[in-house]
Amino acid sequence: MSLTDTACRNARCPQGKSFLRLSDAQGLYLEVMRPGERSPNGSKLWRWKYRVAGKEKRLALGHYPAVSLAEARLELAKAKALLAAGTDPGEARKDANYARLVSRETAFEPVARQWWADGRSTRPSATPST
């Protein structure tokens, strides 16, 4: 049975449990955390459970209500397309994050050169005084 937006909105974690999983379809589920030390506000996360090479994996698709049920299903379709093409969606996300991190704008050298140029005018000269 598919989830509805009303069921997602009204979902609460029962007493005595740390989380609750509400299943939608095709491995997509809403994980409702109990308010406490792990999740101070009782967050709700969209997750997808899938298998790659016989190994079970989970992929986070976003926080509810920022990512609605319809958007989570669209993200699921994109991830399933990657999986069908032979690419692990979790590894693809890690690779994209790594590529963004080491892009030219955030690499160490340009940042260091900019810092050196900005600070050069405010630093006293390095010539020793006699």
Side-chain angles (χ1 to χ4, degrees):
M1 183 169 162
S2 295
L3 278 176
T4 63
D5 189 55
T6 305
C8 296
R9 193 176 332 112
N10 296 331
R12 300 285 180 262
C13 189
Q15 289 292 337
K17 291 193 171 197
S18 58
F19 63 90
L20 170 70
R21 290 183 179 158
L22 300 174
S23 243
D24 184 42
Q26 302 173 358
L28 178 67
Y29 62 93
L30 182 67
E31 187 172 73
V32 182
M33 305 300 286
R34 182 168 181 244
E37 57 185 63
R38 281 182 56 196
S39 173
N41 60 352
S43 63
K44 299 175 182 181
L45 304 167
W46 289 111
R47 295 190 185 272
W48 177 45
K49 188 189 292 188
Y50 66 102
R51 288 187 175 275
V52 173
K55 194 172 189 182
E56 186 176 291
K57 296 188 174 193
R58 295 188 322 161
L59 182 69
L61 300 175
H63 290 268
Y64 179 85
V67 176
S68 69
L69 177 58
E71 291 169 339
R73 288 176 178 162
L74 287 174
E75 289 297 317
L76 173 66
K78 290 177 192 175
K80 288 185 81 165
L82 278 175
L83 189 61
T87 305
D88 180 359
E91 292 299 318
R93 181 180 287 174
K94 285 180 190 176
D95 292 345
N97 286 341
Y98 181 74
R100 185 176 38 90
L101 195 75
V102 297
S103 68
R104 187 71 177 129
E105 294 81 39
T106 59
F108 177 77
E109 184 180 355
V111 172
R113 288 187 185 277
Q114 184 63 44
W115 174 83
W116 182 257
D118 290 346
R120 192 172 230 183
S121 61
T122 60
R123 283 191 294 271
S125 65
T127 57
S129 59
T130 54

